[in-house]
Amino acid sequence: MTETHLFDDYGPVSGFDEMYGGAEVRSEYQAVHAAFSAMGDDEIRLRADSLASAYLEQGVTFGVGGEERPFPLDIVPRIIEAADWRHVDTGVRQRVKALEAFLADVYGPGEVFADGVVPRETVLTSPHYHRVVSGIEPPNGVRVHISGIDLIRDGNGEFRVLEDNCRVPSGVSYVMTNRPAMSAALPEVFADHRIRPVQQYSRNLLAALRAAAPSGVSDPTVVVLTPGVFNSAYFEHTLLARTMGVELVEGRDLVCRQGRVLMRTTRGLEPVHVIYRRIDDEFLDPMQFFPESVLGVPGLINAARAGTVTIANAVGNGVADDKLIYTYVPDLIRYYLNEEPILQNVDTWRLGEAEQREEVLDRLDELVLKPVDGSGGKGIVIGPAASREELDELRGKIHADPRAWIAQPVISLSTVPTLVEKGIRPRHVDLRPFAVNDGDDVYVLPGGLTRVALPEGELIVNSSRGGGSKDTWVLADPFVPADPKDTVDEDEEAEKAKRARSASDETGEIPRVTQTQSQAQGRTQEQTRQSQTQQQSQSQDGEVA
């Protein structure tokens, strides 16, 4: 047996390590640890190189500043026990239900304000609150069709919510592509575990989107609306459209006429009933938001108000993503659901409140400061790592606009073994479980996206900061029946593929605006389109924030 030295000098680890409990390997990682120890250094490096090459050949990428880069996938999986996942699953479901109720309330009767749970000014001053969609009732009552709830494990190993993503959270494509890549790279290790599958996500997403169709539409046409090839999540847009067997469209492929949305195809105009949009609110409808947008569809909001089309996720959901609203979510759970929160927030100070602001200003060098509208790790100041000049500049920003900031303690995110140049070493991770709401139930994809900070000591896991991902293995509970939503109906998958093929024109491409129509847009408009696509907010359809 070849001896491996990859685990030499792994610890000790400050904080919670998910493989090691002290000097002992935790039970869920024992098979992985044994397998890697038996392989030897050269074999593991060879497999890691093969994994990276396969990802590069498949075009699994993300974009930074308009440049496409391969998305790093670490060869060591992250493993979550069944009992831990049940806790996460029920907590995410609870949180999504509360956020749904909150959004229905703030764009409807506003009882949460009247009862003093959340100050009205806190919502109305959020840049993502859009009065123009007040009173629009979704056909099946769902506004958050897809959400990504970012979690971390603290020093005690307890899962806590870091932030909510209810607009158009990205990253699920990496969950879907990581699994087959890992099973090919580590077939013997994969076979030793009973792992809950992830390939059923597209089926469940499509079912939820179809369930959101306008009243009276029995066979809805669903499309994925992308800002275009220059968007850094374009890989994900194409993957989801292909695996759902639906059309991928840009704004120029759609037109609103007489309160309905129609799609230009090589066969003429065809009605669209559900739009899974991957475009930010501000660019979605130039008649209601940014008038110079060439990415959106003029008249789309009026069509949604008329009830002829459903926009998923709903316009205006960003108010629930506001990091200031985040501080109220435990109260929202108690208010709307009459339950105690299952997943706790990270302790947070609201700097708009004078007493909390003064405490934070006295401790700037000890805390993490975040802009409430920040994304992708941008704007975050980690007090202990900041210079005096940076802290002085931050102090001025807080005095100028205290509502724009929250503060949190420095939390040492849990670590997971990760292959780096010097061997296998602990690296900090977070987790983004994806939840799909079909109006009857909230389905949480087992595992979600684990993002790993590859630089040593780095706490920000974002891809633009050198982060990568891990395949997240949720172990199945042998005593609990399999979730029917975890299975894939082969006949249904075949029919979905058939729909995708039938949608193709003679060139084999998904129906799109014709070549002549595309050319008519002109070079100047294409440059504008590219610029606006890259302006999309990074946390939603830019990098995996």
Side-chain angles (χ1 to χ4, degrees):
M1 181 179 296
T2 304
E3 183 181 2
T4 181
H5 300 281
L6 287 171
F7 287 99
D8 291 354
D9 303 321
Y10 185 86
V13 177
S14 60
F16 184 83
D17 186 77
E18 298 191 18
M19 175 178 274
Y20 284 96
E24 300 296 322
V25 177
R26 300 184 192 275
S27 59
E28 63 268 31
Y29 273 96
Q30 286 178 357
V32 167
H33 186 276
F36 273 71
S37 297
M39 283 183 207
D41 296 12
D42 292 342
E43 175 66 17
I44 294 173
R45 297 283 183 187
L46 182 64
R47 295 195 191 199
D49 290 343
S50 176
L51 181 64
S53 297
Y55 250 35
L56 185 61
E57 291 169 2
Q58 294 171 29
V60 182
T61 62
F62 72 100
V64 176
E67 176 188 353
E68 288 296 312
R69 302 179 184 176
F71 194 62
L73 169 60
D74 184 58
I75 197 168
V76 186
R78 182 188 194 177
I79 301 176
I80 300 178
E81 286 191 301
D84 287 336
W85 183 254
R86 283 197 301 273
H87 179 72
V88 169
D89 183 281
T90 53
V92 168
R93 290 171 186 251
Q94 180 192 61
R95 199 165 180 104
V96 170
K97 290 176 182 177
L99 291 170
E100 283 277 16
F102 170 69
L103 287 166
D105 196 5
V106 299
Y107 288 111
E111 294 174 355
V112 71
F113 307 136
D115 291 337
V117 181
V118 176
R120 185 183 300 271
E121 182 183 7
T122 298
V123 170
L124 300 186
T125 56
S126 171
H128 301 295
Y129 174 77
H130 298 309
R131 194 182 302 273
V132 68
V133 296
S134 292
I136 295 180
E137 291 288 342
N140 64 340
V142 177
R143 288 174 169 80
V144 189
H145 304 82
I146 307 97
S147 55
I149 309 299
D150 290 352
L151 308 176
I152 55 99
R153 297 185 85 166
D154 63 16
N156 298 317
E158 179 183 355
F159 281 101
R160 289 179 176 267
V161 178
L162 191 62
E163 63 180 54
D164 305 293
N165 297 281
C166 300
R167 281 176 277 178
V168 275
S170 59
V172 74
S173 57
Y174 305 119
V175 181
M176 297 165 64
T177 53
N178 285 355
R179 182 58 50 84
M182 284 290 290
S183 62
L186 299 171
E188 70 274 50
V189 181
F190 195 86
D192 283 340
H193 295 79
R194 190 160 172 258
I195 305 164
R196 292 183 62 181
V198 298
Q199 70 269 24
Q200 72 287 359
Y201 177 82
S202 294
R203 183 203 64 183
N204 292 331
L205 173 59
L206 180 60
L209 294 174
R210 289 174 61 85
S215 177
V217 178
S218 59
D219 187 19
T221 295
V222 178
V223 300
V224 176
L225 176 60
T226 175
V229 297
F230 298 108
N231 185 263
S232 50
Y234 186 71
F235 166 78
E236 177 157 305
H237 307 167
T238 60
L239 178 69
L240 290 175
R242 185 176 72 249
T243 55
M244 287 193 291
V246 305
E247 288 85 354
L248 178 70
V249 300
E250 295 182 25
R252 56 188 168 181
D253 300 333
L254 303 178
V255 60
C256 292
R257 291 183 180 174
Q258 298 179 335
R260 296 193 305 152
V261 178
L262 304 171
M263 173 174 54
R264 294 186 177 99
T265 76
T266 53
R267 298 180 296 274
L269 293 175
E270 297 183 0
V272 171
H273 306 105
V274 181
I275 299 175
Y276 178 26
R277 53 76 175 246
R278 303 301 298 257
I279 296 178
D280 290 348
D281 291 354
E282 291 75 13
F283 292 88
L284 195 58
D285 183 346
M287 292 179 62
Q288 303 292 344
F289 300 111
F290 178 48
E292 303 302 319
S293 173
V294 297
L295 303 180
V297 186
L300 184 56
I301 299 300
N302 287 338
R305 185 174 293 280
T308 62
V309 70
T310 299
I311 302 172
N313 281 346
V315 175
N317 277 12
V319 69
D321 290 0
D322 189 306
K323 291 181 178 64
L324 188 55
I325 296 298
Y326 158 90
T327 67
Y328 291 95
V329 174
D331 295 328
L332 298 179
I333 291 172
R334 299 182 185 99
Y335 177 69
Y336 290 114
L337 307 181
N338 196 28
E339 299 171 358
E340 284 299 310
I342 295 169
L343 294 171
Q344 302 299 321
N345 280 12
V346 173
D347 294 338
T348 307
W349 288 266
R350 303 169 186 152
L351 301 197
E353 299 180 13
E355 185 175 341
Q356 296 190 32
R357 181 169 64 253
E358 290 307 313
E359 179 183 353
V360 168
L361 289 172
D362 287 341
R363 301 175 54 197
L364 278 185
D365 59 346
E366 303 173 10
L367 302 173
V368 176
L369 278 294
K370 298 180 179 181
V372 298
D373 195 36
S375 59
K378 295 179 180 178
I380 293 177
V381 178
I382 300 177
S387 66
R388 182 178 298 276
E389 291 75 17
E390 289 172 325
L391 292 178
D392 288 341
E393 181 182 357
L394 174 63
R395 192 182 304 275
K397 291 179 178 178
I398 293 172
H399 280 301
D401 187 5
R403 192 256 186 240
W405 295 87
I406 60 168
Q408 295 174 335
V410 177
I411 294 181
S412 181
L413 281 61
S414 64
T415 53
V416 174
T418 302
L419 182 64
V420 295
E421 184 178 350
K422 295 181 179 179
I424 293 179
R425 297 290 185 270
R427 290 295 185 265
H428 295 292
V429 295
D430 75 352
L431 178 66
R432 176 176 288 182
F434 292 89
V436 177
N437 188 359
D438 64 10
D440 294 323
D441 189 25
V442 177
Y443 167 75
V444 183
L445 181 66
L449 179 66
T450 288
R451 302 178 294 183
V452 55
L454 296 176
E456 183 175 3
E458 178 65 71
L459 293 174
I460 299 178
V461 300
N462 307 91
S463 51
S464 63
R465 300 286 287 267
S469 74
K470 285 178 170 288
D471 191 18
T472 310
W473 294 3
V474 173
L475 302 183
D477 191 331
F479 303 106
V480 176
D483 187 335
K485 290 190 175 183
D486 275 358
T487 61
V488 175
D489 187 314
E490 294 183 359
D491 292 337
E492 183 178 338
E493 292 298 298
E495 178 61 28
K496 186 168 62 180
K498 181 180 178 181
R499 288 199 305 271
R501 287 194 299 272
S502 66
S504 301
D505 61 16
E506 62 272 13
T507 66
E509 297 177 348
I510 293 172
R512 297 289 305 277
V513 63
T514 65
Q515 185 178 17
T516 301
Q517 290 169 322
S518 290
Q519 291 173 341
Q521 302 295 324
R523 181 175 179 83
T524 301
Q525 191 173 33
E526 285 303 309
Q527 291 173 338
T528 303
R529 189 181 307 279
Q530 178 178 351
S531 175
Q532 291 183 2
T533 300
Q534 293 174 347
Q535 288 177 37
Q536 293 280 292
S537 62
Q538 292 295 297
S539 66
Q540 304 310 311
D541 251 7
E543 66 163 293
V544 185

